[in-house]
């Protein structure tokens, strides 16, 4: 058996830092879509962004809405940030 070689990327974005970025986006955009928050196409960025969005929704800092079954998911300010 041969071991696989793997290269690990250094990733310096925490959920706390991503939360600040999302709040800044909400200041300039009324209801950004889910896709607009995933601007960097890497798995690490996706995971940090998803965890941050779910945590912010849990804390009611943002609300996630979807009008149709396969429609865009919109993010709006929650009761805490209004």
């Amino acid at each position: 058996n041969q071991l696989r070689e793997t290269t690990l990327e250094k990733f310096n974005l925490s959920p706390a830092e991503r939360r600040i970025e999302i709040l800044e986006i909400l200041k300039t955009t009324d209801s950004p879509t889910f896709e607009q928050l995933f601007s960097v196409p890497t798995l690490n960025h996706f995971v940090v962004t998803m965890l941050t969005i779910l945590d912010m929704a849990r804390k009611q800092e943002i609300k996630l809405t979807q009008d149709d079954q396969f429609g865009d998911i919109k993010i709006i300010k929650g009761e805490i940030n209004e």
Side-chain angles (χ1 to χ4, degrees):
N1 287 330
Q2 191 173 353
L3 292 175
R4 258 189 340 189
E5 289 186 30
T6 304
T7 304
L8 297 176
E9 295 177 27
K10 190 171 183 180
F11 190 72
N12 294 324
L13 182 65
S14 70
E17 293 167 330
R18 187 63 178 136
R19 180 184 169 276
I20 293 168
E21 292 174 3
I22 291 171
L23 290 173
E24 287 299 316
I25 292 169
L26 285 169
K27 286 181 183 177
T28 59
T29 307
D30 287 338
S31 58
T33 62
F34 213 60
E35 290 80 19
Q36 288 174 313
L37 296 184
F38 295 96
S39 56
V40 180
T42 65
L43 183 60
N44 291 334
H45 189 270
F46 176 83
V47 170
V48 169
T49 300
M50 181 60 87
L51 287 173
T52 304
I53 288 171
L54 292 174
D55 189 50
M56 291 177 75
R58 180 183 65 85
K59 293 177 181 175
Q60 297 180 354
E61 294 177 319
I62 59 173
K63 293 180 184 177
L64 304 173
T65 63
Q66 185 178 28
D67 295 330
D68 301 314
Q69 186 174 0
F70 295 104
D72 288 338
I73 298 172
K74 294 178 185 170
I75 298 160
I76 56 175
K77 293 177 185 176
E79 296 170 12
I80 293 176
N81 289 318
E82 288 179 335

Coordinates of all heavy atoms in Angstrom, one line a residue:
N1 N 0.8 -1.2 0.0 CA 0.0 0.0 0.0 C 0.9 1.3 0.0 O 1.9 1.3 0.7 CB -0.9 0.0 1.2 CG -2.1 -0.9 1.1 OD1 -2.5 -1.3 0.0 ND2 -2.5 -1.4 2.2
Q2 N 0.4 2.2 -0.8 CA 1.2 3.5 -0.9 C 0.4 4.6 -0.3 O -0.8 4.7 -0.5 CB 1.4 3.7 -2.4 CG 2.4 4.8 -2.6 CD 2.7 4.9 -4.1 OE1 2.3 4.1 -4.9 NE2 3.5 6.0 -4.5
L3 N 1.1 5.4 0.5 CA 0.4 6.6 1.1 C 0.1 7.7 0.1 O 1.0 7.9 -0.8 CB 1.2 7.1 2.3 CG 1.4 6.2 3.5 CD1 2.3 6.9 4.5 CD2 0.0 6.0 4.2
R4 N -1.0 8.3 0.2 CA -1.3 9.4 -0.7 C -0.7 10.7 -0.1 O -0.7 10.9 1.1 CB -2.8 9.6 -0.7 CG -3.5 9.1 -1.9 CD -4.9 9.5 -2.0 NE -5.6 10.0 -0.8 CZ -6.9 10.2 -0.7 NH1 -7.6 10.0 -1.8 NH2 -7.4 10.6 0.3
E5 N -0.2 11.5 -1.0 CA 0.3 12.8 -0.6 C -0.8 13.8 -0.7 O -1.5 13.9 -1.6 CB 1.5 13.2 -1.5 CG 2.7 12.4 -1.2 CD 3.9 13.0 -2.0 OE1 3.9 14.2 -2.3 OE2 4.7 12.2 -2.4
T6 N -0.9 14.7 0.4 CA -2.0 15.7 0.4 C -1.4 17.0 0.8 O -0.5 17.1 1.7 CB -3.0 15.3 1.5 OG1 -3.6 14.0 1.2 CG2 -4.2 16.3 1.5
T7 N -1.8 18.0 0.1 CA -1.3 19.4 0.4 C -2.5 20.1 1.1 O -3.6 20.1 0.7 CB -1.0 20.2 -0.9 OG1 0.0 19.4 -1.6 CG2 -0.4 21.5 -0.6
L8 N -2.2 20.6 2.3 CA -3.2 21.4 3.0 C -3.0 22.9 2.8 O -1.9 23.4 2.9 CB -3.1 21.1 4.5 CG -3.3 19.6 4.9 CD1 -3.1 19.5 6.4 CD2 -4.7 19.2 4.6
E9 N -4.1 23.5 2.6 CA -4.1 25.0 2.4 C -4.2 25.6 3.8 O -4.9 25.2 4.6 CB -5.3 25.5 1.6 CG -5.3 25.0 0.2 CD -6.6 25.4 -0.5 OE1 -7.1 26.5 -0.2 OE2 -7.0 24.7 -1.4
K10 N -3.5 26.8 3.9 CA -3.6 27.5 5.1 C -4.9 28.4 4.9 O -5.0 29.1 3.9 CB -2.4 28.4 5.4 CG -2.4 29.0 6.7 CD -1.1 29.6 7.1 CE -1.1 30.2 8.5 NZ 0.2 30.8 8.8
F11 N -5.8 28.4 5.9 CA -7.0 29.2 5.7 C -7.2 30.0 7.0 O -7.3 29.5 8.1 CB -8.2 28.2 5.5 CG -9.5 28.9 5.2 CD1 -9.6 29.4 3.9 CD2 -10.5 29.0 6.1 CE1 -10.8 30.0 3.5 CE2 -11.7 29.6 5.7 CZ -11.8 30.1 4.4
N12 N -7.2 31.3 6.8 CA -7.2 32.3 7.9 C -8.5 33.0 8.0 O -8.5 34.3 8.1 CB -6.0 33.2 7.8 CG -4.7 32.5 8.0 OD1 -4.6 31.6 8.8 ND2 -3.7 33.0 7.3
L13 N -9.6 32.4 8.0 CA -10.9 33.1 8.1 C -11.7 32.3 9.2 O -12.0 31.2 9.1 CB -11.7 33.1 6.8 CG -13.0 33.8 6.8 CD1 -12.8 35.3 7.1 CD2 -13.8 33.6 5.5
S14 N -12.1 33.0 10.3 CA -12.8 32.4 11.3 C -14.3 32.8 11.2 O -14.6 33.8 10.5 CB -12.3 32.9 12.7 OG -12.7 34.3 12.9
P15 N -15.2 32.1 11.8 CA -16.6 32.4 11.7 C -16.9 33.8 12.3 O -17.7 34.6 11.8 CB -17.3 31.4 12.6 CG -16.4 30.2 12.4 CD -15.0 30.7 12.4
A16 N -16.1 34.2 13.3 CA -16.3 35.6 13.9 C -15.9 36.7 12.8 O -16.6 37.7 12.7 CB -15.4 35.7 15.1
E17 N -14.9 36.4 12.1 CA -14.5 37.4 11.0 C -15.5 37.4 9.9 O -15.8 38.4 9.4 CB -13.1 37.0 10.5 CG -12.0 37.2 11.5 CD -10.7 36.5 11.0 OE1 -10.7 35.5 10.3 OE2 -9.6 37.1 11.4
R18 N -16.0 36.2 9.5 CA -17.0 36.1 8.5 C -18.3 36.8 8.9 O -19.0 37.4 8.1 CB -17.2 34.6 8.1 CG -18.1 34.5 6.9 CD -17.4 35.1 5.6 NE -18.3 34.8 4.5 CZ -18.6 35.7 3.6 NH1 -18.0 36.9 3.6 NH2 -19.4 35.5 2.6
R19 N -18.6 36.7 10.2 CA -19.8 37.4 10.7 C -19.8 38.9 10.4 O -20.7 39.5 10.0 CB -20.0 37.1 12.2 CG -21.2 37.7 12.8 CD -21.2 37.4 14.3 NE -22.3 38.2 14.9 CZ -22.1 39.5 15.3 NH1 -20.9 40.1 15.1 NH2 -23.1 40.2 15.8
I20 N -18.6 39.4 10.7 CA -18.4 40.9 10.5 C -18.6 41.2 9.0 O -19.2 42.2 8.7 CB -17.0 41.3 11.0 CG1 -17.0 41.2 12.6 CG2 -16.7 42.7 10.6 CD1 -15.6 41.3 13.2
E21 N -18.0 40.4 8.1 CA -18.2 40.6 6.7 C -19.6 40.5 6.3 O -20.1 41.4 5.5 CB -17.3 39.6 5.9 CG -15.9 39.7 6.1 CD -15.1 38.6 5.4 OE1 -15.7 37.7 4.8 OE2 -13.8 38.6 5.5
I22 N -20.4 39.6 6.8 CA -21.8 39.4 6.4 C -22.6 40.6 6.9 O -23.5 41.1 6.2 CB -22.4 38.1 7.0 CG1 -21.7 36.9 6.2 CG2 -23.9 38.1 6.9 CD1 -22.0 35.6 6.8
L23 N -22.3 41.1 8.1 CA -23.0 42.3 8.6 C -22.7 43.5 7.8 O -23.6 44.4 7.6 CB -22.6 42.6 10.1 CG -23.1 41.5 11.1 CD1 -22.6 41.8 12.5 CD2 -24.7 41.6 11.2
E24 N -21.5 43.6 7.3 CA -21.1 44.7 6.4 C -21.9 44.6 5.1 O -22.4 45.6 4.5 CB -19.6 44.8 6.1 CG -18.8 45.2 7.2 CD -19.1 46.7 7.7 OE1 -19.3 47.5 6.8 OE2 -19.2 46.9 8.9
I25 N -22.1 43.4 4.5 CA -22.9 43.2 3.3 C -24.3 43.6 3.6 O -24.9 44.2 2.7 CB -22.8 41.7 2.9 CG1 -21.3 41.4 2.4 CG2 -23.8 41.4 1.8 CD1 -21.1 39.9 2.1
L26 N -24.9 43.3 4.7 CA -26.2 43.6 5.1 C -26.4 45.1 5.2 O -27.5 45.6 5.0 CB -26.7 42.9 6.3 CG -27.0 41.4 6.2 CD1 -27.1 40.8 7.6 CD2 -28.2 41.2 5.4
K27 N -25.4 45.9 5.5 CA -25.5 47.3 5.6 C -25.7 48.0 4.2 O -26.3 49.0 4.0 CB -24.2 47.9 6.2 CG -24.2 47.7 7.7 CD -22.9 48.4 8.3 CE -22.8 48.1 9.8 NZ -21.6 48.7 10.4
T28 N -25.1 47.3 3.2 CA -25.1 47.9 1.8 C -26.2 47.2 0.9 O -26.5 47.8 -0.1 CB -23.7 47.8 1.1 OG1 -23.4 46.4 1.1 CG2 -22.7 48.5 1.9
T29 N -26.6 46.0 1.3 CA -27.6 45.3 0.5 C -28.8 44.9 1.4 O -28.6 44.3 2.4 CB -27.0 44.0 -0.1 OG1 -25.8 44.4 -0.8 CG2 -27.9 43.4 -1.1
D30 N -30.0 45.3 0.9 CA -31.2 45.0 1.8 C -31.4 43.5 2.0 O -31.6 43.1 3.2 CB -32.5 45.6 1.1 CG -32.5 47.1 1.2 OD1 -31.9 47.6 2.1 OD2 -33.2 47.7 0.4
S31 N -31.4 42.7 1.0 CA -31.5 41.3 1.2 C -30.7 40.5 0.2 O -31.2 40.1 -0.9 CB -33.0 40.9 1.1 OG -33.5 41.3 -0.2
P32 N -29.4 40.3 0.5 CA -28.6 39.6 -0.4 C -29.0 38.1 -0.5 O -29.6 37.6 0.4 CB -27.2 39.6 0.3 CG -27.5 39.9 1.7 CD -28.7 40.7 1.8
T33 N -28.8 37.5 -1.6 CA -29.1 36.1 -1.8 C -28.0 35.3 -1.2 O -26.9 35.7 -1.0 CB -29.3 35.7 -3.3 OG1 -28.1 35.9 -4.0 CG2 -30.4 36.6 -3.9
F34 N -28.4 34.0 -1.0 CA -27.4 33.0 -0.4 C -26.2 33.0 -1.3 O -25.1 33.0 -0.8 CB -28.2 31.7 -0.5 CG -27.8 30.8 0.7 CD1 -28.0 31.1 2.0 CD2 -27.3 29.5 0.4 CE1 -27.7 30.2 3.0 CE2 -27.0 28.6 1.4 CZ -27.2 29.0 2.7
E35 N -26.4 33.0 -2.6 CA -25.2 32.8 -3.5 C -24.3 34.0 -3.4 O -23.1 33.9 -3.6 CB -25.7 32.7 -5.0 CG -26.4 31.4 -5.3 CD -27.8 31.3 -4.8 OE1 -28.4 32.4 -4.6 OE2 -28.4 30.2 -4.7
Q36 N -24.8 35.2 -3.1 CA -23.9 36.4 -3.0 C -22.9 36.3 -1.9 O -21.9 36.9 -1.9 CB -24.8 37.7 -2.9 CG -25.5 38.0 -4.2 CD -26.4 39.2 -4.0 OE1 -27.2 39.2 -3.0 NE2 -26.4 40.2 -4.9
L37 N -23.3 35.5 -0.8 CA -22.4 35.4 0.3 C -21.3 34.4 0.1 O -20.3 34.3 0.8 CB -23.2 35.0 1.6 CG -24.2 36.0 2.0 CD1 -24.8 35.6 3.3 CD2 -23.5 37.4 2.2
F38 N -21.4 33.5 -1.0 CA -20.4 32.5 -1.3 C -19.6 33.0 -2.4 O -19.6 32.4 -3.5 CB -21.1 31.2 -1.6 CG -21.8 30.6 -0.3 CD1 -23.2 30.8 -0.2 CD2 -21.1 29.9 0.6 CE1 -23.8 30.3 0.9 CE2 -21.8 29.4 1.7 CZ -23.1 29.6 1.9
S39 N -18.9 34.1 -2.2 CA -18.1 34.7 -3.3 C -16.8 34.1 -3.6 O -16.3 34.2 -4.7 CB -17.9 36.2 -3.0 OG -17.2 36.3 -1.7
V40 N -16.3 33.3 -2.7 CA -15.0 32.7 -2.9 C -15.2 31.2 -3.1 O -15.8 30.5 -2.2 CB -14.0 32.9 -1.7 CG1 -12.7 32.2 -1.9 CG2 -13.8 34.4 -1.4
P41 N -14.9 30.6 -4.2 CA -15.3 29.2 -4.5 C -14.3 28.2 -4.0 O -13.7 27.4 -4.7 CB -15.3 29.2 -6.1 CG -14.3 30.2 -6.4 CD -14.3 31.3 -5.4
T42 N -14.2 28.2 -2.6 CA -13.4 27.1 -2.0 C -14.2 26.4 -1.0 O -15.1 27.0 -0.4 CB -12.1 27.7 -1.3 OG1 -12.4 28.5 -0.3 CG2 -11.2 28.5 -2.3
L43 N -13.9 25.2 -0.7 CA -14.6 24.4 0.3 C -14.5 25.1 1.7 O -15.5 25.1 2.4 CB -14.2 23.0 0.3 CG -14.9 22.1 1.2 CD1 -16.4 22.0 0.9 CD2 -14.3 20.7 1.2
N44 N -13.3 25.5 2.0 CA -13.1 26.1 3.4 C -13.9 27.3 3.5 O -14.6 27.5 4.6 CB -11.6 26.5 3.5 CG -10.7 25.3 3.7 OD1 -11.1 24.2 4.1 ND2 -9.5 25.5 3.3
H45 N -14.0 28.2 2.5 CA -14.8 29.4 2.6 C -16.3 29.0 2.7 O -17.0 29.7 3.5 CB -14.6 30.3 1.4 CG -15.2 31.7 1.5 ND1 -16.5 31.9 1.1 CD2 -14.7 32.8 2.0 CE1 -16.7 33.2 1.3 NE2 -15.7 33.7 1.9
F46 N -16.7 28.1 2.0 CA -18.1 27.6 2.0 C -18.5 27.1 3.4 O -19.5 27.5 3.9 CB -18.3 26.5 1.0 CG -19.7 25.9 1.0 CD1 -20.8 26.6 0.4 CD2 -20.0 24.8 1.8 CE1 -22.1 26.1 0.4 CE2 -21.3 24.3 1.8 CZ -22.3 24.9 1.2
V47 N -17.6 26.3 4.0 CA -17.9 25.8 5.3 C -18.0 26.9 6.4 O -18.9 26.9 7.2 CB -16.9 24.7 5.7 CG1 -17.0 24.3 7.2 CG2 -17.0 23.5 4.8
V48 N -17.0 27.8 6.4 CA -17.0 28.9 7.4 C -18.3 29.7 7.2 O -18.9 30.1 8.1 CB -15.7 29.7 7.3 CG1 -15.8 31.0 8.1 CG2 -14.6 28.9 7.8
T49 N -18.6 30.0 5.9 CA -19.8 30.9 5.6 C -21.1 30.2 6.1 O -21.9 30.8 6.7 CB -19.8 31.3 4.1 OG1 -18.6 32.0 3.8 CG2 -21.0 32.1 3.8
M50 N -21.2 28.9 5.7 CA -22.4 28.2 6.1 C -22.6 28.1 7.6 O -23.7 28.4 8.2 CB -22.4 26.8 5.5 CG -23.6 26.0 5.8 SD -25.1 26.7 5.2 CE -25.1 26.0 3.6
L51 N -21.5 27.8 8.3 CA -21.6 27.8 9.8 C -21.9 29.1 10.4 O -22.7 29.2 11.3 CB -20.2 27.3 10.4 CG -19.9 25.8 10.2 CD1 -18.5 25.6 10.7 CD2 -20.9 25.0 11.0
T52 N -21.4 30.2 9.8 CA -21.7 31.5 10.3 C -23.1 31.9 10.0 O -23.8 32.4 10.9 CB -20.7 32.5 9.6 OG1 -19.4 32.1 9.8 CG2 -21.0 33.9 10.1
I53 N -23.6 31.6 8.9 CA -25.0 31.9 8.5 C -26.0 31.1 9.5 O -26.9 31.7 10.0 CB -25.3 31.6 7.1 CG1 -24.7 32.6 6.1 CG2 -26.8 31.5 6.8 CD1 -24.7 32.2 4.7
L54 N -25.7 29.9 9.7 CA -26.6 29.1 10.6 C -26.5 29.6 12.0 O -27.6 29.7 12.7 CB -26.2 27.6 10.5 CG -26.5 26.9 9.2 CD1 -25.9 25.5 9.2 CD2 -27.9 26.9 8.9
D55 N -25.4 30.0 12.5 CA -25.2 30.5 13.8 C -26.0 31.9 13.9 O -26.6 32.1 14.9 CB -23.8 30.6 14.2 CG -23.6 31.0 15.7 OD1 -24.2 30.3 16.5 OD2 -22.9 31.9 16.0
M56 N -25.8 32.7 12.9 CA -26.5 34.0 13.0 C -28.0 33.9 12.9 O -28.7 34.6 13.6 CB -26.0 34.9 11.8 CG -24.5 35.3 12.0 SD -24.0 36.3 10.5 CE -24.8 37.9 10.8
A57 N -28.5 32.9 12.2 CA -29.9 32.6 12.1 C -30.4 32.1 13.5 O -31.5 32.5 14.0 CB -30.3 31.7 11.0
R58 N -29.6 31.2 14.1 CA -30.0 30.7 15.4 C -30.1 31.8 16.4 O -31.0 31.8 17.3 CB -28.9 29.7 15.8 CG -29.2 29.0 17.2 CD -28.1 28.1 17.6 NE -26.8 28.7 17.7 CZ -26.4 29.3 18.9 NH1 -27.2 29.4 19.9 NH2 -25.2 29.9 19.0
K59 N -29.2 32.8 16.3 CA -29.2 33.9 17.3 C -30.2 35.0 16.9 O -30.2 36.1 17.5 CB -27.8 34.5 17.4 CG -26.8 33.6 18.0 CD -25.4 34.2 18.0 CE -24.4 33.3 18.6 NZ -23.0 33.8 18.5
Q60 N -30.9 34.8 15.8 CA -31.9 35.8 15.2 C -31.2 37.1 14.8 O -31.8 38.1 14.8 CB -33.0 36.0 16.2 CG -33.8 34.8 16.5 CD -34.9 35.0 17.5 OE1 -35.1 36.1 18.0 NE2 -35.8 34.0 17.7
E61 N -30.0 37.0 14.4 CA -29.3 38.2 13.9 C -29.7 38.4 12.4 O -29.6 39.5 11.9 CB -27.8 38.0 14.0 CG -27.3 38.0 15.4 CD -25.8 37.8 15.5 OE1 -25.2 36.9 14.7 OE2 -25.1 38.5 16.3
I62 N -30.0 37.3 11.7 CA -30.5 37.3 10.4 C -31.7 36.4 10.2 O -31.9 35.5 11.1 CB -29.4 36.9 9.3 CG1 -28.9 35.5 9.6 CG2 -28.3 37.9 9.3 CD1 -28.0 34.9 8.6
K63 N -32.5 36.6 9.2 CA -33.6 35.7 8.8 C -33.3 35.1 7.4 O -32.9 35.9 6.6 CB -34.9 36.4 8.9 CG -35.4 36.9 10.2 CD -36.7 37.6 10.1 CE -37.1 38.1 11.5 NZ -38.4 38.9 11.4
L64 N -33.6 33.9 7.2 CA -33.5 33.3 5.9 C -34.9 33.0 5.4 O -35.7 32.5 6.0 CB -32.8 31.9 6.0 CG -31.4 32.0 6.7 CD1 -30.8 30.6 6.9 CD2 -30.4 32.8 5.9
T65 N -35.1 33.5 4.2 CA -36.5 33.4 3.5 C -36.3 32.8 2.1 O -35.3 33.0 1.5 CB -37.2 34.7 3.4 OG1 -36.5 35.6 2.6 CG2 -37.4 35.4 4.8
Q66 N -37.4 32.1 1.7 CA -37.4 31.5 0.4 C -38.8 31.5 -0.1 O -39.7 30.9 0.6 CB -36.8 30.1 0.4 CG -36.7 29.4 -0.9 CD -36.1 28.0 -0.8 OE1 -36.2 27.4 0.2 NE2 -35.4 27.6 -1.8
D67 N -39.1 32.2 -1.2 CA -40.5 32.3 -1.7 C -41.0 31.0 -2.3 O -42.2 30.6 -2.1 CB -40.6 33.5 -2.6 CG -40.4 34.8 -1.9 OD1 -40.6 34.9 -0.7 OD2 -39.9 35.7 -2.6
D68 N -40.2 30.4 -3.1 CA -40.6 29.2 -3.9 C -39.7 28.0 -3.5 O -38.6 28.2 -2.9 CB -40.5 29.4 -5.4 CG -41.3 30.6 -5.8 OD1 -42.5 30.7 -5.4 OD2 -40.8 31.5 -6.6
Q69 N -40.2 26.8 -3.8 CA -39.5 25.6 -3.4 C -38.0 25.6 -3.8 O -37.1 25.2 -3.1 CB -40.2 24.4 -3.9 CG -39.6 23.1 -3.4 CD -40.4 21.9 -3.8 OE1 -41.4 21.9 -4.4 NE2 -39.9 20.7 -3.4
F70 N -37.7 26.0 -5.1 CA -36.4 26.0 -5.5 C -35.9 27.4 -5.8 O -35.0 27.6 -6.6 CB -36.2 25.1 -6.8 CG -36.5 23.6 -6.5 CD1 -37.6 23.0 -6.9 CD2 -35.5 22.9 -5.8 CE1 -37.9 21.7 -6.6 CE2 -35.7 21.6 -5.5 CZ -36.9 20.9 -5.9
G71 N -36.5 28.4 -5.2 CA -36.2 29.8 -5.4 C -35.0 30.2 -4.6 O -34.4 29.4 -3.9
D72 N -34.6 31.4 -4.8 CA -33.4 32.0 -4.2 C -33.7 32.1 -2.7 O -34.8 32.4 -2.2 CB -33.1 33.4 -4.7 CG -32.5 33.4 -6.1 OD1 -31.9 32.3 -6.5 OD2 -32.5 34.4 -6.7
I73 N -32.6 31.8 -1.9 CA -32.7 32.0 -0.4 C -32.2 33.4 -0.2 O -31.1 33.7 -0.5 CB -31.9 30.9 0.3 CG1 -32.4 29.5 0.0 CG2 -31.9 31.2 1.8 CD1 -31.5 28.4 0.6
K74 N -33.0 34.2 0.5 CA -32.7 35.6 0.7 C -32.3 35.7 2.2 O -32.9 35.1 3.1 CB -33.8 36.5 0.4 CG -34.1 36.6 -1.1 CD -35.2 37.5 -1.4 CE -35.5 37.4 -2.9 NZ -36.8 38.1 -3.2
I75 N -31.4 36.6 2.5 CA -31.0 36.9 3.9 C -31.4 38.3 4.2 O -31.1 39.2 3.5 CB -29.5 36.7 4.0 CG1 -29.1 35.2 3.7 CG2 -29.0 37.1 5.4 CD1 -27.7 35.0 3.3
I76 N -32.1 38.4 5.3 CA -32.5 39.8 5.8 C -32.1 39.9 7.2 O -31.9 39.0 7.9 CB -34.1 40.0 5.6 CG1 -34.9 38.9 6.3 CG2 -34.5 40.0 4.2 CD1 -36.3 39.1 6.3
K77 N -32.0 41.2 7.6 CA -31.6 41.5 9.0 C -32.7 40.9 10.0 O -33.9 41.0 9.7 CB -31.6 43.0 9.2 CG -30.5 43.7 8.5 CD -30.5 45.2 8.7 CE -29.5 45.8 7.8 NZ -29.5 47.3 7.9
G78 N -32.2 40.3 11.0 CA -33.0 39.8 12.1 C -33.5 40.9 13.0 O -33.1 42.0 12.9
E79 N -34.2 40.5 14.0 CA -34.7 41.4 15.0 C -33.6 42.1 15.8 O -33.7 43.3 16.1 CB -35.7 40.7 16.0 CG -36.9 40.1 15.3 CD -37.7 39.2 16.2 OE1 -37.4 39.1 17.4 OE2 -38.6 38.5 15.7
I80 N -32.5 41.4 16.0 CA -31.4 42.0 16.8 C -30.7 43.1 16.0 O -30.3 44.1 16.6 CB -30.4 40.9 17.1 CG1 -31.1 39.9 18.1 CG2 -29.1 41.5 17.7 CD1 -30.3 38.8 18.5
N81 N -30.6 43.0 14.7 CA -29.9 44.0 13.9 C -30.8 45.1 13.2 O -30.3 45.9 12.4 CB -29.1 43.3 12.8 CG -27.9 42.5 13.3 OD1 -27.3 43.0 14.2 ND2 -27.7 41.3 12.9
E82 N -32.1 45.1 13.5 CA -32.9 46.1 12.8 C -32.8 47.4 13.5 O -32.4 47.6 14.6 CB -34.4 45.6 12.9 CG -34.7 44.5 12.0 CD -36.1 44.0 12.1 OE1 -36.8 44.2 13.1 OE2 -36.5 43.4 11.1

